[in-house]
Amino acid sequence: MAKKPAKGRCVHCLKKGVERNWDHVFPKSWYPDTTAADFEKWQIPSCIACNDRYGKLERDLIGRLGLALDASNSASAGLADKALRAINPDAAKSEGDAAARDARQKRSCARCRSASKECCAS
């Protein structure tokens, strides 16, 4: 694993002299299960605030897209399962995590219901 980048400029907000960490250009969670272990996953130096902010957007996006993927297609192997696990309170590691997953599930179902009356029957 690469060591933490030195203070410097964030590639997202362009602030200078900030503490940075590594931001994956293509988030690790977006790689299908069929991705080779030695496949290079590009990283860029990002300030912690930007990395956190983009991380939340990326988690939301994969949650939305992952539910629309064909779970039987090897190109998306595991991504649908990850998306379903992310909204499953039973997969949580703590009460706070369970509450966050439950809230995500409710938001997903609300978006789905607005598109289709048959989704998330409850």
Side-chain angles (χ1 to χ4, degrees), residues 60-73:
D60 182 58
L61 183 59
I62 194 61
R64 292 174 188 226
L65 295 177
L67 295 173
L69 295 173
D70 179 0
S72 65
N73 187 322

Side-chain angles (χ1 to χ4, degrees), residues 1-5 22 43:
M1 179 161 200
K3 73 179 198 177
K4 184 177 173 181
W22 292 112
Q43 299 177 52

Side-chain angles (χ1 to χ4, degrees), residues 22-37:
W22 292 112
D23 184 11
H24 286 83
V25 173
F26 192 71
K28 290 190 294 185
S29 63
W30 289 18
Y31 288 92
D33 293 346
T34 53
T35 303

Side-chain angles (χ1 to χ4, degrees), residues 63-92:
R64 292 174 188 226
L65 295 177
L67 295 173
L69 295 173
D70 179 0
S72 65
N73 187 322
S74 65
S76 59
L79 296 178
D81 291 335
K82 289 176 189 177
L84 287 170
R85 193 170 47 249
I87 62 171
N88 182 356
D90 295 333

Side-chain angles (χ1 to χ4, degrees), residues 32-70:
D33 293 346
T34 53
T35 303
D38 62 347
F39 185 78
E40 183 177 6
K41 296 174 179 86
W42 294 351
Q43 299 177 52
I44 53 176
S46 169
C47 74
I48 295 165
C50 283
N51 199 351
D52 288 346
R53 186 174 60 253
Y54 283 110
K56 288 176 185 172
L57 291 170
E58 292 159 351
R59 282 188 297 279
D60 182 58
L61 183 59
I62 194 61
R64 292 174 188 226
L65 295 177
L67 295 173
L69 295 173
D70 179 0

